[in-house]
Amino acid sequence: MLDAMAIARLQAREVCCNQTFVKITAIETLVVNARMRNWVLVKVVTDQPGLYGWGECTLEWKTKSVVGAVEDLSVLLIGQDPRRIEHLWQIMHRQYFWRGGITNMSAMSGIDQALWDIKGKELGRPVCELLGGPVRETLRLYDHLGGGLLEGMYRTGDAEAFGERILESMVRGFTAVKAMPIPVAEMVESAAVLKHAAKCVEAMRTAAGDEIDIMLDLHARTTPATAIQFGRLLTDYNLYWYEEPCWPEHVDALAEVARALPFPIATGERLVGRWEFREVLEKRACSVIQPDISHCGGISEGRRIAAMAETYSISVACHNPQGPVSTASSIHVGFATPNYLIQEVVRADVPWRNDILVEPLDVQQGICQVPTAPGLGIDINEAEARKHPFEREVTMAYFHKDGSVADW
Ligand SMILES: [Mg+2]
């Protein structure tokens, strides 16, 4: 049964086919404050009735910058045909002298997602089908134990809390979780800190058994030496992956950690564009690559990075701690990408997460089904979204014991 909007879209499609041209008339941003980050949603509007697309380029602590970057890029795109996705990607990337960088590439990512959404809606097909069709019947999802919460647990020395929290994820149907038991570290760590991190991981493994996959995110807080120190105490726990063990731009160091430890290394959430991923892949510095569809250059670039990774037998697991549009985009890429491993989802950052969607996105269990609705399959309830306007993100400042700046 077609609803009024679907009929309008089909009528718009007929008009499009007859006129062979659709124009972008506006590119708007909608900022939604969701506690620790502002979701930056991008709406690309066309001259066809009811035909618009949503994307997301959330970039916490740089919200105003990325909103401005979308505005700058829109100058190039107004009046263009949104269905020429690759052509517009090239325009956004190459038609200004200054290219690349996290802010610009995030803005491009949001617009790119919205263009795919438009194309899918116009054709009446889900984006994953336009990417070649689903290559799997279901997509596995993983849960977070909660970074901030567990940081607190670490400081209070409550290793058992990790065990209690992992059981909560399992009850909800998840078979894989990610945790952050390794604290903001010194350049070389002491025995007490190392052993406490191992106790936290042991608590998770003891509580959950071997049926659940455990990933650790080090957030690049550690030097290569410290990452290896921690990792050597964790070899008995069969980690699913060990994420960002050192600065992502230090690719030789990542490779050094990868050679020293027996579990897969994951990295890539802070890299943008296929050119930044190339060195990581060529040096086999990881086993799992984590492009973020809201930063790396969008669905278009995420697919290219995944194909590059496939040639090195490296898996893909898109980074996604952001809002629901980013999640939807990542899920479509996941369903259409053969070397996709698992999808990160956030389910409980704010209780109204699904309220800003016209139809809720079901990521509450550990698995999701193939999307069937046109485009990205989501629409934003703008009135609900506007109830949560921009607020400046809380600054996260971390220092070593001696007062010098630390990575967090
Ligand atoms: Mg991470």
Side-chain angles (χ1 to χ4, degrees):
M1 195 69 178
L2 293 173
D3 60 22
M5 191 61 82
I7 291 167
R9 280 194 208 107
L10 287 171
Q11 287 171 341
R13 183 184 165 195
E14 268 182 33
V15 172
C16 297
C17 292
N18 292 336
Q19 296 183 344
T20 68
F21 200 74
V22 180
K23 275 186 189 173
I24 296 173
T25 54
I27 300 181
E28 304 161 358
T29 48
L30 175 55
V31 177
V32 184
N33 182 263
R35 202 168 57 88
M36 80 164 282
R37 48 177 59 86
N38 288 290
W39 298 336
V40 182
L41 309 182
V42 181
K43 185 179 187 181
V44 175
V45 183
T46 76
D47 61 351
Q48 302 301 313
L51 185 62
Y52 55 84
W54 285 103
E56 180 172 345
C57 51
T58 299
L59 190 64
E60 53 271 42
W61 303 288
K62 296 182 188 294
T63 298
K64 298 281 189 184
S65 304
V66 80
V67 166
V70 170
E71 189 180 337
D72 287 339
L73 287 170
S74 70
V75 173
L76 297 169
L77 303 183
I78 301 296
Q80 298 275 0
D81 186 336
R83 299 168 301 183
R84 300 182 67 192
I85 299 172
E86 182 56 37
H87 184 60
L88 299 190
W89 198 97
Q90 294 290 328
I91 285 177
M92 289 191 285
H93 186 56
R94 294 165 59 192
Q95 294 284 299
Y96 284 142
F97 182 78
W98 305 108
R99 63 188 177 208
I102 187 65
T103 307
N104 181 58
M105 291 296 283
S106 297
M108 281 178 58
S109 300
I111 293 170
D112 178 84
Q113 291 169 34
L115 297 178
W116 280 103
D117 191 28
I118 288 172
K119 197 171 187 79
K121 285 173 175 169
E122 196 230 348
L123 295 169
R125 309 306 306 170
V127 167
C128 63
E129 200 168 310
L130 306 185
L131 298 175
V135 296
R136 52 180 49 83
E137 293 169 7
T138 57
L139 183 65
R140 194 177 179 211
L141 311 174
Y142 71 82
D143 198 20
H144 270 279
L145 294 207
L149 178 65
L150 293 178
E151 292 261 1
M153 288 179 187
Y154 179 81
R155 293 203 178 91
T156 60
D158 188 3
E160 296 310 314
F162 281 81
E164 292 161 17
R165 179 61 188 78
I166 202 170
L167 293 175
E168 188 189 317
S169 296
M170 291 174 74
V171 165
R172 291 180 179 275
F174 288 90
T175 58
V177 299
K178 190 157 82 182
M180 296 177 68
I182 292 175
V184 172
E186 301 295 325
M187 295 189 80
V188 174
E189 264 305 354
S190 62
V193 177
L194 294 168
K195 287 183 178 175
H196 184 81
K199 269 189 198 165
C200 296
V201 179
E202 184 178 57
M204 286 190 279
R205 183 57 79 202
T206 302
D210 289 338
E211 298 306 312
I212 196 157
D213 290 320
I214 298 173
M215 296 155 255
L216 301 193
D217 190 351
L218 281 71
H219 247 221
R221 299 166 159 176
T222 39
T223 59
T226 312
I228 293 170
Q229 277 186 299
F230 278 111
R232 283 183 174 151
L233 289 184
L234 303 174
T235 54
D236 290 341
Y237 302 113
N238 297 294
L239 300 178
Y240 197 61
W241 77 49
Y242 198 59
E243 180 174 327
E244 280 202 319
C246 59
W247 287 1
E249 60 269 43
H250 196 173
V251 180
D252 288 321
L254 275 167
E256 179 189 337
V257 176
R259 304 291 177 267
L261 297 175
F263 28 72
I265 300 300
T267 195
E269 66 187 66
R270 302 190 221 189
L271 304 179
V272 296
R274 74 201 83 150
W275 300 276
E276 290 191 6
F277 283 86
R278 180 172 56 187
E279 186 186 358
V280 177
L281 299 173
E282 285 176 347
K283 290 184 173 171
R284 299 196 53 79
C286 70
S287 301
V288 181
I289 202 85
Q290 300 172 289
D292 188 316
I293 298 300
S294 290
H295 302 316
C296 75
I299 292 170
S300 301
E301 193 70 351
R303 286 278 287 171
R304 290 188 275 264
I305 292 162
M308 287 164 64
E310 189 183 7
T311 66
Y312 292 89
S313 301
I314 289 174
S315 303
V316 179
C318 284
H319 178 249
N320 170 50
Q322 291 101 219
V325 183
S326 173
T327 300
S329 296
S330 303
I331 286 172
H332 281 273
V333 172
F335 269 107
T337 301
N339 52 329
Y340 216 82
L341 184 64
I342 194 167
Q343 180 57 55
E344 175 177 27
V345 293
V346 177
R347 57 179 175 79
D349 50 352
V350 285
W352 44 265
R353 188 175 172 91
N354 262 331
D355 295 350
I356 71 156
L357 297 175
V358 174
E359 295 287 340
L361 189 61
D362 183 13
V363 293
Q364 295 299 314
Q365 308 293 319
I367 205 163
C368 73
Q369 307 297 321
V370 180
T372 55
L376 293 176
I378 45 109
D379 199 359
I380 300 296
N381 181 334
E382 294 186 47
E384 278 298 319
R386 289 185 201 284
K387 290 179 182 173
H388 310 281
F390 171 82
E391 287 180 36
R392 185 62 70 184
E393 295 91 342
V394 176
T395 305
M396 309 279 273
Y398 284 77
F399 300 91
H400 292 299
K401 284 180 210 153
D402 64 3
S404 60
V405 173
D407 294 297
W408 66 274

